[in-house]
Amino acid sequence: MSVAVITPIKEELLYRGVLCGFLTKRHHVLVGVFVSALVFGLLHIGFPITATVIGLVFAIIYYRTKSIFPSMILHMLWNGLVSITVFF
């Protein structure tokens, strides 16, 4: 439950809400999107390339919708799917 609900909330608030938001305001949207996705990916040690790609998707959704909630919900669904796949 924590991996599929709490972790995505915390990570989206941190990586998209804080990091991507800050970098987008200070620099350019591409800097915010790519840097936040790269940091997200590098901190997911077991699968950094996949995490970077999905981080790009989350960041683009965050930027396009101007809301953290769509990326948060997709992140929850993603983590839930991965958890179920690993479990079975």
Side-chain angles (χ1 to χ4, degrees):
M1 169 104 171
S2 173
V3 171
V5 177
I6 296 169
T7 301
I9 291 170
K10 292 189 312 187
E11 288 184 343
E12 288 306 309
L13 289 172
L14 176 64
Y15 295 112
R16 261 54 74 186
V18 175
L19 184 59
C20 185
F22 174 78
L23 292 173
T24 298
K25 287 177 186 167
R26 285 283 207 158
H27 301 286
H28 189 269
V29 64
L30 292 177
V31 173
V33 167
F34 282 106
V35 170
S36 67
L38 185 60
V39 171
F40 180 77
L42 292 173
L43 292 175
H44 284 77
I45 297 167
F47 43 94
I49 295 171
T50 303
T52 300
V53 171
I54 199 70
L56 279 171
V57 171
F58 296 155
I60 291 167
I61 290 171
Y62 168 67
Y63 175 72
R64 294 288 308 256
T65 63
K66 305 292 187 235
S67 173
I68 196 99
F69 295 110
S71 62
M72 203 177 279
I73 291 167
L74 181 60
H75 196 153
M76 289 176 188
L77 292 170
W78 175 263
N79 280 17
L81 179 64
V82 170
S83 296
I84 289 169
T85 304
V86 168
F87 185 72
F88 293 108

